[in-house]
Protein backbone atom coordinates (compact mmCIF):
# COMPACT_ATOMS: atom_id res chain seq x y z
CA UNK A 1 0.00 0.00 0.00
CA UNK A 2 1.19 3.46 -0.93
CA UNK A 3 -0.29 6.77 0.17
CA UNK A 4 0.38 10.31 -0.99
CA UNK A 5 -0.77 13.09 1.32
CA UNK A 6 -0.71 16.74 0.31
CA UNK A 7 -0.70 19.89 2.37
CA UNK A 8 -0.38 23.62 1.84
CA UNK A 9 -3.33 24.57 -0.33
CA UNK A 10 -5.67 27.43 0.44
CA UNK A 11 -6.80 30.92 -0.49
CA UNK A 12 -4.24 33.53 -1.51
CA UNK A 13 -4.46 36.99 -3.03
CA UNK A 14 -3.13 37.70 -6.52
CA UNK A 15 0.62 38.18 -6.41
CA UNK A 16 0.93 36.00 -3.34
CA UNK A 17 2.75 32.74 -2.72
CA UNK A 18 1.95 29.24 -1.51
CA UNK A 19 4.04 26.17 -0.91
CA UNK A 20 2.55 22.74 -1.48
CA UNK A 21 4.00 19.57 0.02
CA UNK A 22 3.30 15.93 -0.76
CA UNK A 23 4.60 13.01 1.30
CA UNK A 24 4.65 9.44 0.05
CA UNK A 25 4.47 6.57 2.54
CA UNK A 26 3.94 2.84 2.60
CA UNK A 27 5.77 -0.13 1.10
CA UNK A 28 8.13 1.98 -0.98
CA UNK A 29 11.18 0.43 -2.56
CA UNK A 30 12.11 3.35 -4.79
CA UNK A 31 10.62 6.57 -6.16
CA UNK A 32 11.33 7.72 -9.68
CA UNK A 33 9.59 10.83 -11.03
CA UNK A 34 7.44 13.06 -8.84
CA UNK A 35 5.34 16.01 -9.84
CA UNK A 36 2.16 18.02 -9.81
CA UNK A 37 -0.91 18.19 -12.02
CA UNK A 38 -3.68 20.74 -11.73
CA UNK A 39 -7.32 20.55 -12.71
CA UNK A 40 -9.42 23.67 -13.06
CA UNK A 41 -13.20 23.62 -13.65
CA UNK A 42 -13.98 23.26 -17.33
CA UNK A 43 -10.34 22.79 -18.29
CA UNK A 44 -8.21 19.79 -19.11
CA UNK A 45 -5.81 18.45 -16.52
CA UNK A 46 -2.43 20.13 -16.89
CA UNK A 47 0.97 18.80 -15.92
CA UNK A 48 2.41 21.72 -13.97
CA UNK A 49 5.86 20.48 -13.03
CA UNK A 50 7.86 17.29 -12.70
CA UNK A 51 11.15 16.30 -11.13
CA UNK A 52 13.14 13.19 -11.88
CA UNK A 53 15.09 11.13 -9.37
CA UNK A 54 18.16 12.91 -10.76
CA UNK A 55 16.46 16.20 -9.79
CA UNK A 56 16.13 17.39 -13.37
CA UNK A 57 12.94 19.43 -13.71
CA UNK A 58 10.30 20.34 -16.28
CA UNK A 59 7.63 23.01 -16.11
CA UNK A 60 4.54 23.97 -18.04
CA UNK A 61 5.06 27.20 -19.98
CA UNK A 62 2.28 28.80 -17.96
CA UNK A 63 4.26 28.54 -14.70
CA UNK A 64 7.89 28.88 -15.79
CA UNK A 65 9.70 31.48 -13.76
CA UNK A 66 7.00 31.52 -11.07
CA UNK A 67 6.83 27.94 -9.74
CA UNK A 68 9.69 25.83 -8.42
CA UNK A 69 9.51 22.09 -7.84
CA UNK A 70 11.90 20.32 -5.50
CA UNK A 71 12.16 17.03 -3.63
CA UNK A 72 13.64 15.60 -0.48
CA UNK A 73 14.42 11.96 -1.20
CA UNK A 74 15.16 11.18 2.45
CA UNK A 75 11.63 12.26 3.34
CA UNK A 76 9.88 10.90 0.20
CA UNK A 77 8.51 14.41 -0.26
CA UNK A 78 7.96 16.69 -3.22
CA UNK A 79 7.34 20.42 -2.93
CA UNK A 80 5.87 23.06 -5.21
CA UNK A 81 6.75 26.66 -4.42
CA UNK A 82 4.28 28.92 -6.19
CA UNK A 83 5.04 32.63 -6.47
CA UNK A 84 3.34 35.52 -8.26
CA UNK A 85 0.07 33.64 -8.24
CA UNK A 86 -2.78 34.88 -10.41
CA UNK A 87 -6.45 33.86 -10.67
CA UNK A 88 -5.64 31.58 -13.63
CA UNK A 89 -3.66 29.40 -11.22
CA UNK A 90 -6.86 28.53 -9.33
CA UNK A 91 -7.28 24.76 -9.50
CA UNK A 92 -7.08 21.51 -7.60
CA UNK A 93 -3.42 20.56 -7.42
CA UNK A 94 -2.68 16.84 -7.45
CA UNK A 95 0.73 15.41 -6.70
CA UNK A 96 1.96 12.15 -8.15
CA UNK A 97 4.90 9.84 -7.74
CA UNK A 98 6.12 6.90 -9.78
CA UNK A 99 6.80 4.33 -7.10
CA UNK A 100 8.14 0.82 -7.16
CA UNK A 101 6.90 -1.13 -4.16
CA UNK A 102 8.91 -3.89 -2.57
CA UNK A 103 7.10 -6.70 -4.35
CA UNK A 104 6.40 -5.14 -7.76
CA UNK A 105 8.52 -5.66 -10.85
CA UNK A 106 8.07 -2.08 -12.05
CA UNK A 107 6.94 1.32 -10.90
CA UNK A 108 3.42 2.67 -11.05
CA UNK A 109 2.09 6.20 -10.83
CA UNK A 110 0.31 6.96 -7.58
CA UNK A 111 -1.66 10.15 -7.05
CA UNK A 112 -2.91 12.10 -4.07
CA UNK A 113 -6.49 13.24 -3.68
CA UNK A 114 -5.73 16.86 -4.51
CA UNK A 115 -5.62 20.16 -2.66
CA UNK A 116 -7.52 23.29 -3.63
CA UNK A 117 -5.60 26.44 -4.48
CA UNK A 118 -7.72 29.55 -4.93
CA UNK A 119 -6.24 32.85 -6.04
CA UNK A 120 -8.68 35.68 -5.45
CA UNK A 121 -8.89 39.14 -3.95
Amino acid sequence: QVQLVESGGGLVQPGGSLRLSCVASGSIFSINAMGWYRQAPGKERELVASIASSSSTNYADSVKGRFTISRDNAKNTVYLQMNSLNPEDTAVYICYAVIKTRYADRGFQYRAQGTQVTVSS
Side-chain angles (χ1 to χ4, degrees), residues 18-38:
L18 280 176
R19 188 193 195 205
L20 305 182
S21 301
C22 177
V23 181
S25 63
S27 300
I28 297 170
F29 179 77
S30 63
I31 301 178
N32 193 347
M34 306 182 82
W36 297 86
Y37 295 102
R38 67 184 179 185

Side-chain angles (χ1 to χ4, degrees), residues 1 27-30 100-106 108 110:
Q1 291 284 354
S27 300
I28 297 170
F29 179 77
S30 63
K100 183 180 181 303
T101 58
R102 296 187 182 279
Y103 304 106
D105 56 2
R106 67 178 182 90
F108 292 88
Y110 294 84

Side-chain angles (χ1 to χ4, degrees), residues 6-10 20-21 36 91-94 113-117:
E6 300 162 326
S7 60
L20 305 182
S21 301
W36 297 86
V92 174
Y93 284 71
I94 304 159
Q113 287 192 328
T115 185
Q116 178 69 44
V117 171

Side-chain angles (χ1 to χ4, degrees), residues 16 21 26 33 37 39 45 54 66 70 83 91 94 100 105 112 117-118:
S21 301
Y37 295 102
Q39 179 79 59
R45 187 181 65 196
S54 63
R66 300 188 298 122
S70 60
N83 299 329
I94 304 159
K100 183 180 181 303
D105 56 2
V117 171
T118 302

Side-chain angles (χ1 to χ4, degrees), residues 15-82:
S17 298
L18 280 176
R19 188 193 195 205
L20 305 182
S21 301
C22 177
V23 181
S25 63
S27 300
I28 297 170
F29 179 77
S30 63
I31 301 178
N32 193 347
M34 306 182 82
W36 297 86
Y37 295 102
R38 67 184 179 185
Q39 179 79 59
K43 294 185 179 180
E44 292 187 357
R45 187 181 65 196
E46 178 183 27
L47 178 59
V48 175
S50 63
I51 183 166
S53 56
S54 63
S55 294
S56 64
T57 59
N58 282 289
Y59 296 93
D61 287 343
S62 57
V63 306
K64 280 181 181 176
R66 300 188 298 122
F67 291 11
T68 302
I69 190 170
S70 60
R71 62 192 286 171
D72 184 333
N73 292 328
K75 297 181 178 179
N76 292 338
T77 300
V78 62
Y79 305 96
L80 186 67
Q81 177 67 44
M82 304 184 293

